[in-house]
Amino acid sequence: MATSVIETRQRTRTPVAALGKLTAVMLAGVALLLTYLQMAIIGEFVPPLAVFALVALVVAAAITAGWRWVPALGTLVCALLLAMNSGPMLFQIMHPGDFRSFSFMAVTLPVVVLGILGGIAATVQNYRHAAGERRMPRLLPAVLIGVTGVVLGAILVAAIPQQGMNVGITPEAIAGLPTLRTKDFMFSQKELHAKVGETAPIASRTRTVRRTTSRSTS
């Protein structure tokens, strides 16, 4: 009496390794940071930033599905964000006087960099090792703790009041200074004129900058 055996294949989702989880968390962090940027710093809805935030969330969710190539998309999203905003990021990091913007960039920059490196490492690990062999690198916790410590230290140092800020400028003088407004990264006034050798203070929402011109500017 012949019997037939029917084999059924059960599809199971591949468990997400630690590097994949790290990439997904960094992408979710990018989305939250971009949302905070629009709501708390810029104060208005910026479509390109909203699109980046949405894409970051979608890719983070796709990583949890277990596809081994998806972390590479996370690397691409973070790399594009870094490439398109490297100038403003470096400027704010080098100018801690604007505490809110500095703190935002101090958090955003390591999150983006960790997203890039985590996505690359997770993709390589997914293709080189089986699901059960994708272990967390031993140095990863120490690296994350170190990065967190550096970021918190930088923010605490930037929070210390700087001596010599706005020296010689009264509130009345600040109130009479020209104010530049921005919308969608565009200035409301395209030109500012000053005489050679004249100290020209310019008031912004967060700080006052004093510049001495060496030549006519426009």
Side-chain angles (χ1 to χ4, degrees), residues 6-22:
I6 301 176
E7 295 183 356
T8 60
R9 304 176 89 184
Q10 182 179 4
R11 289 189 176 184
T12 59
R13 188 179 64 178
T14 304
V16 181
L19 290 174
K21 294 178 181 178
L22 173 66

Side-chain angles (χ1 to χ4, degrees), residues 70-92:
V70 177
L73 290 180
T75 296
L76 180 60
V77 171
C78 292
L80 285 175
L81 184 63
L82 181 62
M84 296 173 63
N85 298 277
S86 58
M89 283 184 177
L90 291 177
F91 178 83
Q92 295 297 343

Side-chain angles (χ1 to χ4, degrees), residues 37-47 49 182-185:
L37 176 62
Q38 297 174 81
M39 296 178 61
I41 297 181
I42 299 177
E44 61 183 19
F45 176 75
V46 181
L49 296 180
T182 59
K183 183 177 182 181
D184 295 337
F185 301 100

